[in-house]
Amino acid sequence: MTDAIKIDVWSDIACPWCFIGKRNLENGLAATADDDDAPVVEIEYHSFELSPDTPVDFVGGEVDYLSQHKGISPAQAREMLDRVTGVAAEAGLAYRFDILQHTNTVKAHELLHFAKEKGRQLELSERLMSAYFLEGKHVGRDDDLVDLAAEVGLDADEARGALASTRFRDAVRADQAQAQAYGITGVPFFVIDGKYGVSGAQPVEAFTQIARQVWSERRAEAAESAPA
């Protein structure tokens, strides 16, 4: 039996292109489901903080943040947000930058590592991004994060303890160190089977194609190594 294709994804909860890339990846893989020999895929998310200096309770909206931290005018910021909102809509995501609460994401990343330990990382990644981009919920404070963790079936007390202890902070830093070693400077970034790097929120078809290609390579390698 051929082992699953491993897809490692570096992303940030507060990265609008990361949610788009996540959805395109999922839809791209779904398009292979009816193949006669459908690829088997395992996905793991890794931490990447785009703005580690952001306060937990940022005062202002997303336009204010972009203007203050990216050195662009409010008009340019609105234009950027309109563009990404349009791309998100094409992926089936209704972004709400008007209610988004900009925040520091290190604790969200710690919680994702806790969720990975409990087998709920994929569910929590989806819940955090949805809460942030679609619902205007705060994803930087312990109470809010614990509530979101509970919604995907994680124990609230255990989640709160994981955040209070900061015991997953080293795992977050290790992910970031690995990203640096790979030369990753922006997210989303996808590492396919440890040998192919894919940068940015690629279209659905690109993910479908690479999944089929890598699966085919895997099958060929397995056939070559099989005993006669």
Side-chain angles (χ1 to χ4, degrees):
M1 178 153 181
T2 304
D3 292 336
I5 297 169
K6 179 71 181 298
I7 300 182
D8 293 285
V9 186
W10 271 262
S11 69
D12 193 358
I13 297 305
C15 164
W17 294 104
C18 291
F19 200 5
I20 294 168
K22 178 180 185 298
R23 189 61 84 247
N24 286 352
L25 170 64
E26 292 163 349
N27 289 336
L29 296 177
T32 71
D34 292 332
D35 290 3
D36 290 337
D37 183 19
V40 179
V41 178
E42 175 190 346
I43 300 171
E44 181 177 341
Y45 284 90
H46 298 274
S47 304
F48 192 103
E49 291 179 89
L50 283 173
S51 304
D53 58 342
T54 302
V56 171
D57 292 300
F58 177 79
V59 178
E62 193 68 1
V63 169
D64 300 307
Y65 174 79
L66 290 172
S67 299
Q68 294 172 25
H69 292 265
K70 303 300 181 183
I72 61 176
S73 71
Q76 288 173 314
R78 291 189 189 93
E79 184 178 333
M80 285 176 58
L81 296 179
D82 287 345
R83 183 168 74 90
V84 74
T85 298
V87 177
E90 293 173 3
L93 300 170
Y95 279 6
R96 291 291 307 275
F97 286 111
D98 56 320
I99 59 173
L100 183 149
Q101 298 188 62
H102 204 84
T103 187
N104 189 288
T105 59
V106 69
K107 287 194 172 185
H109 286 298
E110 291 178 31
L111 193 64
L112 281 167
H113 279 281
F114 166 71
K116 181 173 73 172
E117 186 179 83
K118 301 295 183 181
R120 289 281 190 277
Q121 190 197 46
L122 299 184
E123 295 90 340
L124 184 64
S125 177
E126 175 70 21
R127 188 67 196 98
L128 288 172
M129 288 185 170
S130 293
Y132 186 70
F133 284 109
L134 310 184
E135 302 166 29
K137 293 189 176 183
H138 206 296
V139 298
R141 298 184 296 236
D142 285 17
D143 287 349
D144 302 272
L145 287 168
V146 168
D147 287 345
L148 292 169
E151 288 182 23
V152 299
L154 292 165
D155 183 271
D157 290 337
E158 288 186 14
R160 189 178 299 280
L163 291 172
S165 69
T166 67
R167 65 188 177 93
F168 289 101
R169 187 70 56 94
D170 286 346
V172 173
R173 300 298 178 232
D175 276 354
Q176 293 169 332
Q178 183 63 66
Q180 187 174 21
Y182 278 150
I184 298 170
T185 57
V187 288
F189 194 93
F190 306 84
V191 176
I192 317 294
D193 240 18
K195 57 184 179 180
Y196 299 112
V198 178
S199 179
Q202 298 294 319
V204 171
E205 296 77 16
F207 289 116
T208 302
Q209 179 181 355
I210 196 167
R212 286 173 173 155
Q213 175 190 328
V214 174
W215 191 245
S216 178
E217 292 172 1
R218 283 288 202 85
R219 287 301 204 191
E221 291 168 1
E224 287 176 5
S225 61

